[in-house]
Short mmCIF file of all heavy atoms in Angstrom, two decimals:
data_model
loop_
_atom_site.label_atom_id
_atom_site.label_comp_id
_atom_site.label_asym_id
_atom_site.label_seq_id
_atom_site.Cartn_x
_atom_site.Cartn_y
_atom_site.Cartn_z
N LEU A 1251 -32.80 -67.83 -19.89
CA LEU A 1251 -33.99 -67.24 -19.30
C LEU A 1251 -34.43 -66.06 -20.15
O LEU A 1251 -33.65 -65.13 -20.41
CB LEU A 1251 -33.71 -66.75 -17.88
CG LEU A 1251 -33.42 -67.81 -16.82
CD1 LEU A 1251 -33.17 -67.15 -15.48
CD2 LEU A 1251 -34.58 -68.79 -16.70
N GLN A 1252 -35.68 -66.07 -20.60
CA GLN A 1252 -36.20 -64.97 -21.40
C GLN A 1252 -36.81 -63.93 -20.47
O GLN A 1252 -37.75 -64.21 -19.72
CB GLN A 1252 -37.26 -65.48 -22.40
CG GLN A 1252 -37.70 -64.37 -23.37
CD GLN A 1252 -38.53 -64.91 -24.51
OE1 GLN A 1252 -38.57 -66.11 -24.75
NE2 GLN A 1252 -39.20 -64.02 -25.22
N LEU A 1253 -36.27 -62.71 -20.52
CA LEU A 1253 -36.69 -61.65 -19.62
C LEU A 1253 -37.81 -60.80 -20.19
O LEU A 1253 -38.67 -60.32 -19.44
CB LEU A 1253 -35.50 -60.75 -19.28
CG LEU A 1253 -34.26 -61.46 -18.72
CD1 LEU A 1253 -33.16 -60.45 -18.45
CD2 LEU A 1253 -34.61 -62.21 -17.44
N THR A 1254 -37.79 -60.57 -21.51
CA THR A 1254 -38.88 -59.84 -22.17
C THR A 1254 -39.35 -60.63 -23.38
O THR A 1254 -38.56 -61.36 -23.99
CB THR A 1254 -38.46 -58.43 -22.60
OG1 THR A 1254 -37.48 -58.52 -23.65
CG2 THR A 1254 -37.87 -57.65 -21.44
N ASP A 1255 -40.61 -60.46 -23.73
CA ASP A 1255 -41.22 -61.24 -24.80
C ASP A 1255 -41.91 -60.32 -25.80
O ASP A 1255 -42.98 -59.79 -25.53
CB ASP A 1255 -42.23 -62.22 -24.19
CG ASP A 1255 -42.91 -63.09 -25.24
OD1 ASP A 1255 -42.39 -63.18 -26.37
OD2 ASP A 1255 -43.97 -63.66 -24.93
N ARG A 1256 -41.24 -60.06 -26.93
CA ARG A 1256 -41.81 -59.30 -28.05
C ARG A 1256 -42.39 -57.96 -27.60
O ARG A 1256 -43.52 -57.61 -27.94
CB ARG A 1256 -42.87 -60.13 -28.76
CG ARG A 1256 -42.32 -61.41 -29.40
CD ARG A 1256 -43.43 -62.24 -30.02
NE ARG A 1256 -44.35 -62.74 -29.01
CZ ARG A 1256 -45.51 -63.33 -29.28
NH1 ARG A 1256 -45.89 -63.49 -30.53
NH2 ARG A 1256 -46.29 -63.75 -28.31
N VAL A 1257 -41.60 -57.22 -26.85
CA VAL A 1257 -42.03 -55.91 -26.35
C VAL A 1257 -41.99 -54.89 -27.48
O VAL A 1257 -41.00 -54.78 -28.20
CB VAL A 1257 -41.11 -55.46 -25.19
CG1 VAL A 1257 -41.33 -53.99 -24.86
CG2 VAL A 1257 -41.35 -56.33 -23.97
N SER A 1258 -43.09 -54.14 -27.64
CA SER A 1258 -43.17 -53.12 -28.69
C SER A 1258 -43.85 -51.86 -28.14
O SER A 1258 -44.91 -51.95 -27.52
CB SER A 1258 -43.96 -53.62 -29.90
OG SER A 1258 -43.33 -54.71 -30.53
N PHE A 1259 -43.22 -50.73 -28.37
CA PHE A 1259 -43.85 -49.44 -28.09
C PHE A 1259 -43.07 -48.35 -28.81
O PHE A 1259 -41.93 -48.56 -29.23
CB PHE A 1259 -43.93 -49.14 -26.58
CG PHE A 1259 -42.61 -49.08 -25.88
CD1 PHE A 1259 -41.90 -47.89 -25.79
CD2 PHE A 1259 -42.06 -50.22 -25.28
CE1 PHE A 1259 -40.68 -47.84 -25.14
CE2 PHE A 1259 -40.85 -50.17 -24.62
CZ PHE A 1259 -40.15 -48.99 -24.56
N ASP A 1260 -43.72 -47.21 -29.00
CA ASP A 1260 -43.11 -46.06 -29.66
C ASP A 1260 -43.02 -44.89 -28.69
O ASP A 1260 -43.80 -44.80 -27.75
CB ASP A 1260 -43.95 -45.59 -30.84
CG ASP A 1260 -43.87 -46.52 -32.04
OD1 ASP A 1260 -43.18 -47.56 -31.95
OD2 ASP A 1260 -44.49 -46.21 -33.04
N ILE A 1261 -42.08 -44.00 -28.95
CA ILE A 1261 -42.03 -42.72 -28.24
C ILE A 1261 -41.94 -41.62 -29.28
O ILE A 1261 -41.03 -41.61 -30.12
CB ILE A 1261 -40.82 -42.65 -27.29
CG1 ILE A 1261 -40.90 -43.77 -26.24
CG2 ILE A 1261 -40.78 -41.29 -26.60
CD1 ILE A 1261 -39.73 -43.81 -25.29
N ARG A 1262 -42.88 -40.73 -29.25
CA ARG A 1262 -42.91 -39.63 -30.20
C ARG A 1262 -42.09 -38.45 -29.70
O ARG A 1262 -41.78 -38.35 -28.51
CB ARG A 1262 -44.36 -39.17 -30.42
CG ARG A 1262 -45.29 -40.26 -30.95
CD ARG A 1262 -46.72 -39.79 -30.86
NE ARG A 1262 -47.66 -40.85 -31.25
CZ ARG A 1262 -48.94 -40.86 -30.90
NH1 ARG A 1262 -49.44 -39.89 -30.17
NH2 ARG A 1262 -49.73 -41.84 -31.29
N GLY A 1263 -41.76 -37.56 -30.60
CA GLY A 1263 -41.00 -36.38 -30.22
C GLY A 1263 -41.78 -35.50 -29.26
O GLY A 1263 -42.93 -35.17 -29.50
N GLY A 1264 -41.14 -35.12 -28.14
CA GLY A 1264 -41.73 -34.18 -27.20
C GLY A 1264 -42.76 -34.75 -26.25
O GLY A 1264 -43.37 -34.00 -25.49
N GLU A 1265 -42.97 -36.07 -26.24
CA GLU A 1265 -43.99 -36.65 -25.36
C GLU A 1265 -43.35 -37.33 -24.15
O GLU A 1265 -42.18 -37.69 -24.16
CB GLU A 1265 -44.86 -37.66 -26.11
CG GLU A 1265 -44.22 -39.02 -26.28
CD GLU A 1265 -45.23 -40.09 -26.70
OE1 GLU A 1265 -46.43 -39.79 -26.82
OE2 GLU A 1265 -44.79 -41.23 -26.92
N ILE A 1266 -44.17 -37.51 -23.12
CA ILE A 1266 -43.80 -38.32 -21.97
C ILE A 1266 -44.55 -39.63 -22.08
O ILE A 1266 -45.78 -39.66 -22.04
CB ILE A 1266 -44.13 -37.61 -20.64
CG1 ILE A 1266 -43.36 -36.30 -20.53
CG2 ILE A 1266 -43.80 -38.52 -19.46
CD1 ILE A 1266 -43.68 -35.50 -19.29
N HIS A 1267 -43.81 -40.72 -22.26
CA HIS A 1267 -44.41 -42.04 -22.42
C HIS A 1267 -44.15 -42.84 -21.15
O HIS A 1267 -43.00 -43.05 -20.76
CB HIS A 1267 -43.82 -42.76 -23.63
CG HIS A 1267 -44.54 -44.02 -24.00
ND1 HIS A 1267 -45.22 -44.15 -25.19
CD2 HIS A 1267 -44.71 -45.19 -23.34
CE1 HIS A 1267 -45.78 -45.36 -25.24
NE2 HIS A 1267 -45.48 -46.00 -24.12
N GLY A 1268 -45.22 -43.27 -20.50
CA GLY A 1268 -45.09 -44.02 -19.26
C GLY A 1268 -44.98 -45.52 -19.52
O GLY A 1268 -45.70 -46.06 -20.35
N LEU A 1269 -44.06 -46.18 -18.82
CA LEU A 1269 -43.94 -47.64 -18.84
C LEU A 1269 -44.13 -48.11 -17.41
O LEU A 1269 -43.32 -47.81 -16.53
CB LEU A 1269 -42.57 -48.05 -19.37
CG LEU A 1269 -42.30 -49.54 -19.56
CD1 LEU A 1269 -43.28 -50.14 -20.57
CD2 LEU A 1269 -40.87 -49.79 -20.02
N ILE A 1270 -45.23 -48.83 -17.18
CA ILE A 1270 -45.62 -49.14 -15.80
C ILE A 1270 -45.78 -50.64 -15.60
O ILE A 1270 -46.07 -51.38 -16.55
CB ILE A 1270 -46.93 -48.41 -15.44
CG1 ILE A 1270 -47.22 -48.49 -13.94
CG2 ILE A 1270 -48.13 -48.96 -16.24
CD1 ILE A 1270 -48.32 -47.57 -13.47
N GLY A 1271 -45.57 -51.08 -14.37
CA GLY A 1271 -45.73 -52.48 -14.01
C GLY A 1271 -45.04 -52.72 -12.67
O GLY A 1271 -44.24 -51.90 -12.21
N GLU A 1272 -45.34 -53.85 -12.05
CA GLU A 1272 -44.71 -54.19 -10.77
C GLU A 1272 -43.23 -54.52 -10.97
O GLU A 1272 -42.76 -54.73 -12.10
CB GLU A 1272 -45.42 -55.40 -10.16
CG GLU A 1272 -46.86 -55.15 -9.78
CD GLU A 1272 -47.57 -56.45 -9.45
OE1 GLU A 1272 -47.53 -56.86 -8.28
OE2 GLU A 1272 -48.16 -57.06 -10.37
N SER A 1273 -42.52 -54.58 -9.88
CA SER A 1273 -41.11 -55.00 -9.93
C SER A 1273 -41.02 -56.41 -10.51
O SER A 1273 -41.80 -57.29 -10.15
CB SER A 1273 -40.50 -54.99 -8.53
OG SER A 1273 -40.50 -53.69 -7.99
N GLY A 1274 -40.06 -56.61 -11.42
CA GLY A 1274 -39.89 -57.92 -12.04
C GLY A 1274 -40.63 -58.09 -13.34
O GLY A 1274 -40.59 -59.17 -13.94
N CYS A 1275 -41.29 -57.03 -13.82
CA CYS A 1275 -42.05 -57.15 -15.08
C CYS A 1275 -41.18 -56.96 -16.32
O CYS A 1275 -41.60 -57.32 -17.42
CB CYS A 1275 -43.19 -56.13 -15.10
SG CYS A 1275 -44.60 -56.59 -14.07
N GLY A 1276 -39.99 -56.37 -16.17
CA GLY A 1276 -39.10 -56.19 -17.31
C GLY A 1276 -38.94 -54.75 -17.75
O GLY A 1276 -38.37 -54.49 -18.82
#
């Protein structure tokens, strides 16, 4: 079962990066 599909994101120094989605999105 593939849970995530080619997920890409960056987090820079000192920032707050939000990752949002409904339950079950990964």
Side-chain angles (χ1 to χ4, degrees):
L1251 293 180
Q1252 187 169 346
L1253 305 179
T1254 67
D1255 180 18
R1256 297 176 295 170
V1257 167
S1258 296
F1259 60 89
D1260 287 2
I1261 300 178
R1262 301 169 185 160
E1265 79 165 358
I1266 299 177
H1267 190 114
L1269 185 61
I1270 191 168
E1272 296 168 88
S1273 297
C1275 284

